[in-house]
Amino acid sequence: MRISFETKLGPITITEEEGRITSLLFSNMPSSYSSSPLLEKAKREVEEYLEGERTSFDLPLLAKGTSFQERVWNTISSIGYGETMSYGEIGERIGCKGYRAIG
């Protein structure tokens, strides 16, 4: 299932599979609406975040990737609201010098 909607940053598409969020993309896909409680919650949380009303998300995720990708995603998820981290800093945390691969 998928929902696409307009935001002040442009169109966003969120995909759900097996009751968990599998992707959030900035895309030019035509608007679509596949109603599910999870997709509605995800849309609401993204909108609240963009309005400055939310600083964290409470959504079940289904991340599919290599062990390298999972290490990167785990590190990214530890970055606090309003904080930044360069690809180099992420690489240092996971013991990888392939900064371009992290990007």
Side-chain angles (χ1 to χ4, degrees):
M1 297 180 90
R2 161 176 64 208
I3 187 169
S4 298
F5 55 99
E6 286 293 327
T7 71
K8 61 184 177 182
L9 297 178
I12 289 180
T13 298
I14 303 174
T15 305
E16 170 190 351
E17 188 178 308
E18 300 174 17
R20 295 184 278 175
I21 301 299
T22 56
S23 68
L24 185 149
L25 306 168
F26 292 95
S27 70
N28 290 325
M29 295 182 72
S31 293
S32 65
Y33 189 82
S34 300
S35 183
S36 84
L38 178 58
L39 288 173
E40 289 298 322
K41 181 179 181 183
K43 177 183 176 190
R44 184 174 57 254
E45 287 193 12
V46 167
E47 291 172 336
E48 290 169 354
Y49 178 83
L50 294 175
E51 293 302 317
E53 300 168 1
R54 174 176 288 279
T55 60
S56 63
F57 293 88
D58 181 28
L59 299 166
L61 305 177
L62 179 61
K64 296 179 181 178
T66 65
S67 62
F68 172 76
Q69 289 171 319
E70 290 176 359
R71 289 193 334 259
V72 171
W73 296 334
N74 286 334
T75 301
I76 290 170
S77 70
S78 73
I79 301 170
Y81 180 79
E83 295 178 15
T84 60
M85 187 178 292
S86 70
Y87 295 149
E89 291 169 317
I90 294 169
E92 288 175 18
R93 283 200 181 181
I94 66 170
C96 173
K97 293 184 181 185
Y99 307 141
R100 290 180 68 187
I102 292 167

